[in-house]
């Protein structure tokens, strides 16, 4: 089968097509004929060598989101060939990343594709959707408490804002001028200009600080002053700083959700109910993965670029 991976870490040009033996599912597993794999910033970090790949041999295959059709099942699997599914993948795990024609997945890392969504759109949901759910679970806010979201125009930010509003939270989000309409459409109660001074802008609405903040823009210590004393701060890139004032820093790790099939199915239902919006920025053949990475790293992509197989 074809995979897209890197023999040596580097820039987008390090990505290349490789031929490897087809995998087959074991007990309680499925093989997915991948038709769509979303391209995320996590993929570019792996490609550039920013994730340790101890114990694995190259080529290293990026990709944490896949959608396709079950074409082979292992003993005892609850899935059936022909079902359209989406799955989260772990590039550093046993079965590797999603930039592949075939992906082996445990039964409980898979969910049905949302009704009415095509495979490209469905591939944008698993990793960032599960990340958003984990964030809201660990912050554990009550309805009407205030959540701030930086990077609200990105895919993770989109899902956090929509889920937070669904849970009855008050949301203040950031946006550049060109993203203002998008972020407002997500349901944010207040929108402030993005930038390094976002904390001061948030405090203009909430002088005592917000109850918690999701730092999808990776502003770290620049965003923390927006949080009230004793509040919560969710970091998605393992910031190890200490903002003080009794603020709890929650280091979010989506690999913990690898076997969260029930949560992934909940995300499916939320899409079908109109709570979550799936956005595809564009599709490219898998062989053009390098171009997809260049576009993503160039900035300004709204929605997910998707590789098709």
């Amino acid at each position: 089968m074809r995979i897209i991976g890197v023999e040596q870490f580097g820039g987008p040009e390090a990505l290349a097509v490789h031929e490897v033996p087809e995998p087959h599912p074991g007990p309680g597993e499925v093989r997915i004929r991948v038709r769509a794999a979303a391209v995320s910033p996590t993929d570019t970090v792996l490609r550039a060598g920013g994730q340790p790949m101890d114990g694995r041999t190259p080529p290293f295959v990026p990709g944490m989101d896949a959608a396709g059709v079950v074409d082979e099942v292992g003993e005892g699997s609850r899935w059936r060939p022909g079902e359209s599914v989406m799955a989260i993948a772990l590039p550093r795990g046993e079965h590797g990343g999603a930039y592949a024609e075939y992906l082996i997945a445990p039964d409980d890392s898979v969910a049905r594709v949302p009704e009415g969504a095509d495979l490209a759109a469905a591939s944008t949901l698993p990793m960032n959707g599960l990340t958003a759910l984990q964030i809201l679970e660990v912050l554990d806010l009550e309805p009407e408490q205030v959540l701030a979201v930086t990077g609200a125009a990105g895919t993770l930010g989109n899902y956090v804002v929509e889920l937070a509003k669904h849970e009855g939270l008050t949301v203040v989000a950031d946006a550049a001028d060109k993203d203002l309409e998008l972020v407002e459409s997500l349901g944010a109660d207040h929108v402030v200009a993005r930038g390094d001074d976002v904390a001061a802008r948030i405090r203009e609405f909430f002088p005592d600080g917000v109850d918690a903040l999701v730092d999808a823009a990776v502003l770290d210590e620049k965003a923390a002053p927006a949080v009230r004393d004793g509040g919560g701060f969710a970091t998605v890139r393992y910031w190890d700083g200490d903002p003080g004032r009794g603020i709890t820093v929650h280091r979010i790790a989506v690999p913990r959700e690898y076997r969260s099939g029930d949560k992934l199915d909940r995300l499916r239902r939320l899409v079908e109910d109109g709570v979550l919006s799936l956005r595809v920025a564009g599709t490219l053949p898998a062989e053009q993965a390098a171009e997809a990475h260049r576009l993503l790293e160039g900035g300004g992509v709204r929605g997910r670029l998707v590789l098709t197989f």
Side-chain angles (χ1 to χ4, degrees):
M1 70 169 180
R2 290 178 305 149
I3 62 171
I4 311 297
V6 294
E7 292 278 1
Q8 294 188 347
F9 300 120
E13 69 282 352
L15 290 164
V17 179
H18 301 272
E19 292 283 344
V20 299
E22 285 187 12
H24 297 281
E29 296 177 339
V30 299
R31 186 173 80 170
I32 300 168
R33 174 60 174 93
V34 176
R35 295 299 184 185
V39 178
S40 74
T42 301
D43 304 345
T44 67
V45 172
L46 184 152
R47 184 214 72 225
Q51 294 184 14
M53 299 297 286
D54 301 336
R56 299 195 64 83
T57 56
F60 304 119
V61 182
M64 295 191 70
D65 299 278
V69 178
V70 174
D71 83 327
E72 190 175 318
V73 297
E75 181 181 357
S77 173
R78 64 183 178 87
W79 296 97
R80 296 292 178 265
E83 293 184 285
S84 294
V85 297
M86 56 186 175
I88 182 171
L90 290 184
R92 295 167 59 187
E94 178 183 358
H95 300 305
Y99 291 13
E101 283 188 303
Y102 295 102
L103 175 69
I104 302 299
D107 274 11
D108 52 5
S109 68
V110 177
R112 287 192 294 111
V113 166
E115 185 176 351
D118 62 23
L119 293 175
S123 76
T124 70
L125 182 60
M127 187 263 287
N128 282 134
L130 289 169
T131 302
L133 284 180
Q134 184 181 122
I135 287 169
L136 293 174
E137 286 173 1
V138 300
L139 290 176
D140 194 25
L141 299 176
E142 298 292 332
E144 298 186 8
Q145 284 192 283
V146 181
L147 177 69
V149 183
T150 69
T155 301
L156 175 59
N158 284 192
Y159 293 153
V160 171
V161 173
E162 290 180 321
L163 287 171
K165 289 306 303 175
H166 182 63
E167 294 184 5
L169 303 181
T170 297
V171 176
V172 53
D174 70 348
D177 287 344
K178 64 185 179 66
D179 295 319
L180 184 60
E181 184 177 347
L182 167 61
V183 175
E184 288 179 339
S185 75
L186 302 172
D189 298 280
H190 308 282
V191 182
V192 301
R194 65 176 293 181
D196 289 348
D197 60 348
V198 69
R201 296 179 186 275
I202 293 170
R203 287 267 184 170
E204 290 176 6
F205 284 101
F206 301 98
D208 295 330
V210 296
D211 296 298
L213 182 141
V214 180
D215 189 25
V218 197
L219 293 172
D220 299 333
E221 68 280 353
K222 297 183 182 74
V227 181
R228 66 166 172 80
D229 294 0
F233 185 97
T235 172
V236 296
R237 289 288 177 90
Y238 299 102
W239 180 50
D240 60 1
D242 180 5
R245 299 188 289 114
I247 295 171
T248 300
V249 176
H250 302 274
R251 295 174 179 85
I252 305 303
V254 73
R256 293 201 298 261
E257 309 296 343
Y258 183 51
R259 291 181 174 270
S260 295
D262 289 346
K263 292 182 185 178
L264 191 54
D265 197 57
R266 177 186 168 198
L267 291 167
R268 172 192 63 79
R269 295 192 301 271
L270 288 167
V271 171
E272 293 177 348
D273 291 344
V275 174
L276 292 178
S277 307
L278 305 180
R279 292 183 172 85
V280 176
T283 61
L284 296 89
E287 294 80 1
Q288 295 181 25
E291 177 62 15
H293 278 223
R294 290 188 190 97
L295 290 169
L296 181 60
E297 292 182 316
V301 174
R302 295 296 175 254
R304 279 279 172 259
L305 295 166
V306 176
L307 303 178
T308 58
F309 287 84

